Amino acid sequence: MAGNQHLDSSLFPLEDITSVVKLFKKELEKEDPDLVLLSIIAGAIENSMTCGKNITIPNENELFEEPKLPKLQFHIVNALYTKFHSIIKGSIDLTQYETKYATRELIKKISDVIWNSLTRGYYKDRAHLQSLYSFMTGNKLDCFGVAFAVIAACQVLGFNDVHLALSEDHAWVVFGEKAQFTAEVTWHGKGSEDKRGQPIDAGLSSRSWLYVKGRPVLCSRHMEVAALVSAINPSLTVTTDSVGVATFQQELLWLLYDLKYLDKYPMALGNLAELEEFKPTVGRVPCFTLLQQAILSARRYYDNCHVYPYTYQAGYFYRHALYKQAFHSWANASDVIKQYNYSRDDEEIYKELMEIANELIPHIMKVVSSGHSAHSILKDPECFADLLRFYDGICQWEEGSQTPVLHIGWAKPLVNTISKFDSEVRGRIEMLDVGSSESAAAAEEHSTSLNNNDEELVLTTTGLSLADTLDPKIRALTAACGERILNRQFLLQGGGEPFVPGEPEDEATTSAPCDGSGDPSSSGDASGKKSGEVSDSGADGASKQKLASPKLVLYSHKMRGLKDLLLGEKLNTHAISLQLTAQSQVQVGGRKGPLSGGGGEEGSRSKRTRRE
């Protein structure tokens, strides 16, 4: 067992990222990697580079230099390692627990030991408190840190049936011969000491997003190493990260990726994607591919119950001005959240969705309504359909909940956004009734598009991969790089037009990526969008035929009640606001069966803060 191991001093001192990766790799090659050792090392490096008094903000040149890690000596690590072992073994009398598998009483006792060792009166969820280094040097842990410390303590005591379960904003443990039991070991939000040791049944019955319908990431010992690496926080300030810590985390995540320990960990794939977007690694798959793999993992292994893979992807699209794709990803995220009932424990996802609705979408509307981008998506009925699908999911999230979600702060941005789409665009939406054969067919088509998604995503026996790994903008530039666009006669003699006239087909092909429709995640978007523009300019009937009216099924009572108002020639903004903010009439427990999970229309269920 890990508790009887002695540290190998030959691997120290750790002076650079390569030496740390080597140590992690050596541990990961073992059947039972030492969580205490790896958490202390990761925490020591993170804290020394982010929490010191002489920490400086990195300049632009440092982004391209090899980060220098502080030298980590063996005697420091060994002292902290021995201290943790002494605390756990000195506090738990194993003669009272002479069983092969852990019991609920043992886990409660261990969590009490960790909890009672913490310093009182500190802000538990601030940055850099998730590692055992923080616990051993300052007696401080955040909620993830407490859960991880309990797992590490169980490993020290030889109870290797206890493992970490991770939702998108909470952690608990599973234990037993077949991991059939669950136990709370940490707090969430404002704290809940009284829950330690209890099963998570109450959270499941309340349909809270916090417990992801009982489909968390169930970690093996090696995936617990992935969890501690993914939880590394490189932030120096709210807006600035440590380049050294980010690079250190990035290298460790690639090591875990290569060993296939991220295949079932969507959040870690999303974190790696964000690091790659900031500083791409030569020869590695691009961040967009990692984002797609995170979504595929959430669908395949967690029944599409995780929201954050979609918000990660939407954030990427938003930052790269691929606004149509961002709308689609946000709508897919909302398809997931509608499976749940809102509670006050869901504060993090509430803030995430509110930021999307009240800040990001209004900003997109401002951008596309001015300058050369005018009407780039405002003439696209599919974007309007995705907007309605996004709000429909939030309204259904509210239905059956004890606490209302929508208030006037939500209604005003929605009304302003809807008003940007003219009546002709809004009128192209084909609304289908819930339960009709047409809605079932549309839901099946949507489900198929989610699975295929025009991405050529494939599963191999060795893990996840993507056949097409190029960024959509790069593919568009590559496709057009051989075209001649300048008039040679104009350059030599000054006569004629400066640019070579392009054929209509070429224009359509090259303009699509600028609108984001060249992205592989939006099946059929390109044809729909260009058809919309051609139709508005008076094209022939064949071109108009390409513009199939988007079919939309609204599941929430509020949005179904708004149907006529939304599609009307003139918008009654006051009536829309009143309907949207009206208290839900659906009673608690009124949502049952497939409909509460989105019926046949699948979505998927991460930033939030970087903490896991």
Side-chain angles (χ1 to χ4, degrees), residues 132 208-209 218 271 305 323 352 416 534 612:
L132 295 182
S208 170
W209 163 76
L218 294 178
N271 282 342
C305 289
Y323 296 135
E352 179 93 3
N416 291 336
V534 173
E612 294 356 304

Side-chain angles (χ1 to χ4, degrees), residues 333-407:
S334 188
D335 278 347
V336 178
I337 200 63
K338 71 184 180 185
Q339 303 178 64
Y340 303 101
N341 285 341
Y342 172 67
S343 72
R344 297 198 182 276
D345 284 334
D346 300 338
E347 179 185 6
E348 285 302 313
I349 195 63
Y350 177 89
K351 291 189 294 186
E352 179 93 3
L353 294 172
M354 191 171 187
E355 180 188 20
I356 293 167
N358 296 1
E359 296 181 29
L360 303 188
I361 291 178
H363 176 73
I364 291 175
M365 293 296 103
K366 181 179 179 181
V367 170
V368 301
S369 299
S370 61
H372 68 279
S373 297
H375 310 302
S376 58
I377 63 174
L378 296 182
K379 295 295 184 181
D380 192 334
E382 291 181 355
C383 285
F384 184 66
D386 282 333
L387 175 69
L388 298 185
R389 190 156 60 92
F390 173 72
Y391 276 94
D392 182 53
I394 294 173
C395 288
Q396 195 172 3
W397 183 35
E398 181 184 59
E399 290 182 6
S401 303
Q402 296 281 10
T403 307
V405 174
L406 300 169
H407 50 70

Side-chain angles (χ1 to χ4, degrees), residues 221-238:
R221 189 68 79 217
H222 296 85
M223 288 178 68
E224 285 158 0
V225 177
L228 81 86
V229 173
S230 187
I232 292 172
N233 190 335
S235 64
L236 293 171
T237 66
V238 175

Side-chain angles (χ1 to χ4, degrees), residues 369-544:
S369 299
S370 61
H372 68 279
S373 297
H375 310 302
S376 58
I377 63 174
L378 296 182
K379 295 295 184 181
D380 192 334
E382 291 181 355
C383 285
F384 184 66
D386 282 333
L387 175 69
L388 298 185
R389 190 156 60 92
F390 173 72
Y391 276 94
D392 182 53
I394 294 173
C395 288
Q396 195 172 3
W397 183 35
E398 181 184 59
E399 290 182 6
S401 303
Q402 296 281 10
T403 307
V405 174
L406 300 169
H407 50 70
I408 193 63
W410 289 79
K412 287 183 177 180
L414 172 60
V415 170
N416 291 336
T417 299
I418 290 175
S419 66
K420 296 293 194 299
F421 293 88
D422 61 38
S423 59
E424 181 184 357
V425 175
R426 290 185 280 108
R428 290 176 184 166
I429 307 296
E430 182 180 349
M431 295 288 190
L432 303 177
D433 294 331
V434 176
S436 66
S437 58
E438 292 86 354
S439 67
E444 179 65 26
E445 181 180 350
H446 179 65
S447 175
T448 302
S449 70
L450 279 178
N451 291 325
N452 296 333
N453 212 19
D454 210 26
E455 300 165 357
E456 298 180 17
L457 281 172
V458 293
L459 282 173
T460 66
T461 56
T462 57
L464 303 173
S465 63
L466 184 69
D468 187 356
T469 60
L470 289 178
D471 183 281
K473 292 183 177 180
I474 296 176
R475 288 203 309 276
L477 291 172
T478 303
C481 66
E483 297 180 6
R484 183 165 63 90
I485 61 173
L486 295 176
N487 187 341
R488 183 181 302 173
Q489 293 300 321
F490 176 83
L491 294 174
L492 295 175
Q493 301 176 4
E497 296 295 326
F499 295 100
V500 175
E503 297 181 4
E505 294 79 9
D506 295 334
E507 294 173 4
T509 302
T510 56
S511 64
C514 298
D515 297 325
S517 57
D519 189 87
S521 69
S522 51
S523 177
D525 288 348
S527 61
K529 184 168 184 180
K530 298 311 295 182
S531 298
E533 294 175 354
V534 173
S535 175
D536 290 333
S537 62
D540 56 32
S543 296
K544 288 184 179 180

Side-chain angles (χ1 to χ4, degrees), residues 151-383:
I151 296 295
C154 288
Q155 184 187 36
V156 167
L157 296 174
F159 292 98
N160 290 325
D161 61 304
V162 185
H163 288 288
L164 197 61
L166 297 171
S167 73
E168 298 189 290
D169 194 42
H170 192 39
W172 59 93
V173 303
V174 295
F175 62 99
E177 182 179 3
K178 299 180 179 180
Q180 69 270 39
F181 305 114
T182 62
E184 297 274 15
V185 293
T186 186
W187 71 87
H188 181 268
K190 299 184 183 300
S192 52
E193 299 94 311
D194 57 327
K195 287 187 177 181
R196 293 198 310 279
Q198 296 181 11
I200 65 166
D201 297 350
L204 292 177
S205 62
S206 69
R207 301 180 60 85
S208 170
W209 163 76
L210 202 63
Y211 295 92
V212 291
K213 292 175 66 177
R215 292 172 177 83
V217 175
L218 294 178
C219 295
S220 63
R221 189 68 79 217
H222 296 85
M223 288 178 68
E224 285 158 0
V225 177
L228 81 86
V229 173
S230 187
I232 292 172
N233 190 335
S235 64
L236 293 171
T237 66
V238 175
T239 58
T240 309
D241 286 352
S242 164
V243 177
V245 175
T247 305
F248 161 65
Q249 182 184 30
Q250 192 172 4
E251 289 293 325
L252 289 178
L253 284 173
W254 276 124
L255 170 65
L256 291 156
Y257 179 92
D258 292 338
L259 295 173
K260 309 302 178 187
Y261 296 130
L262 301 189
D263 285 0
K264 297 182 180 180
Y265 199 162
M267 183 76 84
L269 288 168
N271 282 342
L272 179 56
E274 286 196 340
L275 293 167
E276 282 295 306
E277 184 181 358
F278 172 70
K279 188 178 180 183
T281 304
V282 178
R284 290 289 190 176
V285 295
C287 59
F288 180 72
T289 301
L290 294 169
L291 293 170
Q292 290 174 311
Q293 290 179 344
I295 291 174
L296 181 61
S297 177
R299 293 176 190 161
R300 179 174 177 83
Y301 300 114
Y302 305 108
D303 199 23
N304 215 17
C305 289
H306 293 198
V307 176
Y308 282 147
Y310 288 95
T311 58
Y312 270 115
Q313 186 187 55
Y316 169 86
F317 288 141
Y318 176 82
R319 290 187 293 274
H320 290 266
L322 298 172
Y323 296 135
K324 178 168 182 173
Q325 287 73 18
F327 269 94
H328 190 69
S329 294
W330 283 327
N332 288 339
S334 188
D335 278 347
V336 178
I337 200 63
K338 71 184 180 185
Q339 303 178 64
Y340 303 101
N341 285 341
Y342 172 67
S343 72
R344 297 198 182 276
D345 284 334
D346 300 338
E347 179 185 6
E348 285 302 313
I349 195 63
Y350 177 89
K351 291 189 294 186
E352 179 93 3
L353 294 172
M354 191 171 187
E355 180 188 20
I356 293 167
N358 296 1
E359 296 181 29
L360 303 188
I361 291 178
H363 176 73
I364 291 175
M365 293 296 103
K366 181 179 179 181
V367 170
V368 301
S369 299
S370 61
H372 68 279
S373 297
H375 310 302
S376 58
I377 63 174
L378 296 182
K379 295 295 184 181
D380 192 334
E382 291 181 355
C383 285

